[in-house]
């Protein structure tokens, strides 16, 4: 398992990690297979979405804030339930296919680390699966 | 990677692709393993849900519209932020186990391609993983 | 495929299945690879979130109820559309990496079976993938 270290600066922050994941793929030497990306945190998530225009990630941040407002009524006494809820809505892992040592993403797609309870020191775990392409 | 071509007709449209994915499994010759299904788009998604009664998919479409209204206030100037948000809420990939050359889904489950910014020409990428069943 | 049987007691109920999944990993003998967990139901889901403090799961249950209220206006005549919607928002499968025969989860993470239309008899399908760790 490869571990990326990330330092977030704000409570809510989407960080485009596509190039870092692509670098992990290249350095692994895996040509064909899959790339598994996972966050070992309960108040952060991963999502795949447009990374050309940063306003898309900002609109997604705001939409999630409306769905799970930070200042809502929650039972959990740490006060960060909204972050846990957003984490489950987006999910903790993503899989991207690898062909010719490259992540197989659509033209506009990037992989985002989604911080919902920062600033914090975070990790992203990456594991490559070597798998000859099937027929 | 196999590529399905889909032509959507409406802005929001759930298309049951279960039989097309099952056909990709059969034609691959993979008997045991996994089927990975991915949308290379940022305003479309995949979900697994009931495909017996089409009203379930319609209720899901409407619920997502309430969570991310098309005419909400968004920053992204293309005007389709709602579609990006819905895409992240459902996710861009699904994995289904394959045994005896068949998708292992529950009785009522089907795989839906979810269009949120149609009509468009779309793709679904499918990759089969051959994996002998473990103990 | 291994099949866990679960009996839920309430309409909405989050059940921490981490130890059961970990036991399936141990009994499989797989040391390195991945663990795939899937619910073959359309009104239940899986999520990974904090399992140290049970109030997190309760806040997530309540947040989902606000996003898809049981008594909302739905077309599906079985009356459980809210459960289908929640199932798609969280998703039907999770993947966790296995190293040294152990699930690779973060310190606070657990795997939850999420019942949204109980009480019912339910299954969780688990499949282990043996995969030597890559470089």
């Amino acid at each position: 398992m490869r571990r990326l270290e990330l330092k977030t600066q704000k409570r809510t922050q989407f960080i485009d990690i596509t190039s870092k994941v692509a670098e992990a793929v290249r350095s692994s030497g895996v040509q064909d297979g899959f790339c598994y990306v996972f966050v070992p945190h309960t108040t952060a998530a991963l999502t795949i979405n447009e990374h050309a225009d940063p306003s898309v990630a900002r609109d997604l941040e705001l939409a999630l804030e409306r769905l799970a407002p930070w200042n809502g009524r929650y039972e959990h006494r740490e006060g960060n339930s909204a972050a846990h809820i957003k984490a489950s809505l987006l999910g903790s892992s993503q899989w991207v296919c690898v062909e010719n040592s490259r992540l197989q993403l659509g033209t506009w797609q990037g992989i985002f680390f989604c911080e919902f309870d920062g600033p914090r020191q975070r990790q992203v775990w990456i594991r490559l699966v070597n798998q000859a392409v099937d027929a």
Side-chain angles (χ1 to χ4, degrees), chain A:
Chain A
M1 195 102 84
R2 287 142 201 282
R3 288 173 166 78
L4 293 184
E5 296 283 337
L6 292 178
K7 194 161 172 33
T8 61
Q9 266 87 37
K10 296 191 291 181
R11 181 186 288 164
T12 302
Q13 187 178 4
F14 280 39
I15 300 175
D16 182 356
I17 59 170
T18 316
S19 61
K20 289 184 175 179
V21 177
E23 173 54 31
V25 172
R26 273 192 299 274
S27 69
S28 75
V30 168
Q31 293 192 299
D32 288 295
F34 288 92
C35 181
Y36 168 77
V37 192
F38 180 77
V39 288
H41 308 292
T42 56
T43 53
L46 293 171
T47 197
I48 292 176
N49 214 313
E50 178 178 333
H51 67 156
D53 180 348
S55 66
V56 170
R58 284 197 297 270
D59 283 338
L60 181 51
E61 283 180 35
L62 291 171
L64 288 167
E65 178 62 24
R66 283 189 293 267
L67 299 182
W70 185 266
N71 290 313
R73 278 177 301 156
Y74 304 109
E75 185 180 339
H76 183 49
R77 300 187 67 172
E78 276 185 65
N80 61 353
S81 278
H84 289 286
I85 294 160
K86 293 169 184 177
S88 275
L89 288 175
L90 295 198
S92 51
S93 67
Q94 296 288 340
W95 283 92
V96 180
C97 189
V98 174
E99 288 183 5
N100 302 316
S101 306
R102 295 183 55 142
L103 291 170
Q104 299 300 299
L105 289 164
T107 310
W108 306 102
Q109 287 178 319
I111 308 168
F112 288 93
F113 175 88
C114 310
E115 172 65 82
F116 295 122
D117 188 25
R120 292 191 189 222
Q121 185 68 32
R122 298 294 204 175
Q123 288 197 344
V124 175
W125 295 353
I126 300 174
R127 186 162 164 180
L128 275 297
V129 176
N130 208 345
Q131 186 90 38
V133 177
D134 58 86

